[in-house]
Amino acid sequence: MSFNVDERGYYGNFGGAFIPEMLYPNVEELRSRYLDIIAEPSFQEEFHALLKDYVGRPTPLFKAERLSGKYNTNIYLKREDLCHTGAHKINNTIGQILVAKRLGKSKIVAETGAGQHGVATATVCALMGMECIVYMGAIDIERQAPNVARMRMLGAHVVPATSGSKTLKDATNEAMRHWINHPVDTHYIIGSVVGPHPYPDMVARFQAVISEEIRFQLQEKEGRDYPDYVIACVGGGSNAAGAFYHFLDEPRTALIAAEAAGLGVNSGHSAATTFLGKPGVLHGSKSLSMQTEDGQVIEPYSISAGLDYPGIGPMHAHLFESGRATFYGVTDEEALVAAVECSQLEGIIPALETAHALAVFERLQAKPNEIVVVNVSGRGDKDLATYQNRLKLND
Amino acid sequence: MNRISALFSKATEPILNVYTTAGFPRLEDTMTVLNALQAGGVDIIEVGMPYSDPVADGETIQLSNQAALEQGMSVAHLFEQLKDMRQTITVPVLLMGYINPVLQYGVEAFCAKCAEVGVDGLILPDLPMVEYEASYKAIFEKYGLYNILLITPQTNDERIRHIDSVSKGFIYMVSSASTTGAKTGISADQEVYFSRIASMNLQNPRLIGFGISDHESFLKASKNASGAIIGSAFVKMIAQAKDLSAEIVAFVQSIKGKN
């Protein structure tokens, strides 16, 4: 079975490009050119130079001894939190801005949930001297104030999405609308492995640097180039796609995805798409999404703005349906406990999103001789206010 | 003959197609609006099926969709409201909406229901031609439903020819690169685009939509097409109407220049 995209833009039963005609020329231009552009030696050279000297790659693969001791196994942390701007998101925005340049675009639009993708986009726009507009849910603007300030400092124009749930889903709608209204000079940098083909594949390719590095780093440290488990959190699914990419066809590696179960999978306040979702079309592709019987999108809930999304990318829907990946629903409370544990055992404050992945150790029951890699998708600085409120961090 | 083909074959004046959101302004207003539109002289009625995430639409239509959903509108309820419409409505009726609610209803069941209540065609902007041809064309044809496809100023000639070959009824010509209601009026650039398409001698007639809001823009658009489509301007009007039926009749007559 193939876990990569086919020529129609599908992963098994999921994918495609369900877009209005107004977006067709843009998406078609991208689809017909992205593979050639990415393959150009000058692109590869520029991309890898920026990943190395600007982003700070390769990011370390750190053996977490105290966590390993607690769970009686071998836990490695892939430190995407050490990337410039604080999360894995910049791998993709560097790649896409280089694509946009080669397509002759001068303006960038993006959506953001937690603000990490917005910051990463604003950063590369500053680097390349491109105009940048970032749509962000009005509620997210409130709960992720430090990232809003960072985007503005970088010169981006942050526009609140005030429709619907005022979160990531609506920011995505508004960014798509903006693109419809500005089709010629603007490129839309989607931040996750969602959206119409070729976005899920293109974003996965840019994030694949994560699993590529895990392979050679594990070879160096453990003498084998695959782990027994790779764990990553999934909202739309970009950090998971990157962490899984080079292990998709490696049967010895189990792929583990942590979804945000919010107040509980069946509480009515959740974002656990594989548990609650059905096949359908959202934001330009066929995948699993949370929806009513009538096909209306259900507004998700998670303590983490980056996972507060009612769908998952088509690659993940296929990994779920085929059984290639195992999905866990992790509640807000479990994520908070895991965040404290990682902070106090390893001196690493994870992003709330990452904390969902860290909460899986408890359920995994890995053996003492096994190797577990968890993708630390981002750092927790942006979430300190939430941690402070929820954990009552007083002496 | 499908009512849309019959209309275009006999029309002598510009055709006016008006979009309305089902279940708006109030849940049970749908048939009142349809009857008033017909009484005012509308040639085609486009009934919007409310959707939570209508990305091709602007704020006016999105807010009407949201209001209708909050009032309890659903695809099943819409079919219930339309079940006797052919007792009074003689003009062609289109359903416009997004693909996901149709997928959840079941494409075949949906098309069968459309045929049963007397719907003539569908406009599903996020169902692209390639997906339509691969998966749905045969079902639409089985139930005699026309699938109305869109073209925009950015659609290239080759693709327009392809869309023309797949289309039945008419081609929905989006006047500018925009979401609905984003721009009003017709610019000189748009007139160049309209006449370029007019000179292509397509087999299907064309209706121009997006940016049409009054008698002047309706006439301007109709010079290079068989007529035009009004959406946001109408939805804005009914959102504030005190006497719904009377104001709809007056609105339609003012667009057509008959009062």
Side-chain angles (χ1 to χ4, degrees), chain A residues 8 10 15-22 24-25 162-164 169-170 172-174 176-178 180-184 278-283 286 289 291-298, chain B residues 50-59 62 66 69 73-76 99-101 103-105 125-128 131 136 150-152 154-155 159 163 174 176-179 182-183 210:
Chain A
R8 299 173 311 134
Y10 274 80
F18 291 82
I19 41 161
E21 184 64 28
M22 292 80 99
Y24 178 84
T162 54
S163 61
K169 152 183 107 72
D170 308 286
T172 307
N173 290 339
E174 293 301 333
M176 284 180 111
R177 287 194 174 113
H178 181 94
I180 288 173
N181 285 303
H182 302 86
V184 178
K278 288 186 296 182
V281 169
L282 174 66
H283 294 145
K286 193 182 276 183
S289 64
Q291 50 185 304
T292 65
E293 204 178 313
D294 194 38
Q296 310 296 340
V297 178
I298 291 175
Chain B
Y51 183 50
S52 54
D53 296 77
V55 289
D57 288 294
E59 196 185 14
Q62 182 180 19
Q66 216 169 300
L69 289 172
M73 200 63 208
S74 67
V75 173
I99 187 66
N100 196 49
L103 291 175
Q104 302 312 318
Y105 195 92
D126 62 342
L127 173 60
E131 297 283 351
Y136 306 115
L150 278 58
I151 63 170
T152 81
Q154 273 75 40
T155 312
R159 186 167 167 85
I163 287 172
V174 176
S176 64
S178 70
T179 48
K183 295 165 187 171
F210 291 37

Side-chain angles (χ1 to χ4, degrees), chain A residues 132-146:
Chain A
C132 181
I133 295 176
V134 180
Y135 285 90
M136 186 170 187
I139 287 176
D140 292 338
I141 284 182
E142 268 173 48
R143 61 180 171 174
Q144 302 286 343

Side-chain angles (χ1 to χ4, degrees), chain B residues 41 57 81 97 118 120 138 146 150 171-172 185 190 200:
Chain B
D57 288 294
Q81 290 181 339
D120 302 286
Y146 285 2
L150 278 58
I171 290 171
Y172 191 134
Q190 285 169 290
M200 285 181 76

Side-chain angles (χ1 to χ4, degrees), chain B residues 107-175:
Chain B
V107 177
E108 173 116 32
F110 182 87
C111 290
K113 203 74 193 172
C114 284
E116 186 186 315
V117 304
V119 166
D120 302 286
L122 300 170
I123 303 176
L124 301 167
D126 62 342
L127 173 60
M129 181 167 59
V130 54
E131 297 283 351
Y132 171 68
E133 287 188 282
S135 309
Y136 306 115
K137 189 164 179 273
I139 303 173
F140 278 45
E141 285 175 355
K142 179 176 165 191
Y143 293 96
L145 289 168
Y146 285 2
N147 181 36
I148 308 299
L149 296 166
L150 278 58
I151 63 170
T152 81
Q154 273 75 40
T155 312
N156 67 39
D157 285 5
E158 187 192 354
R159 186 167 167 85
I160 291 174
R161 297 266 176 225
H162 191 175
I163 287 172
D164 190 38
S165 74
V166 176
S167 293
K168 275 184 181 166
F170 66 93
I171 290 171
Y172 191 134
M173 207 168 129
V174 176
S175 65

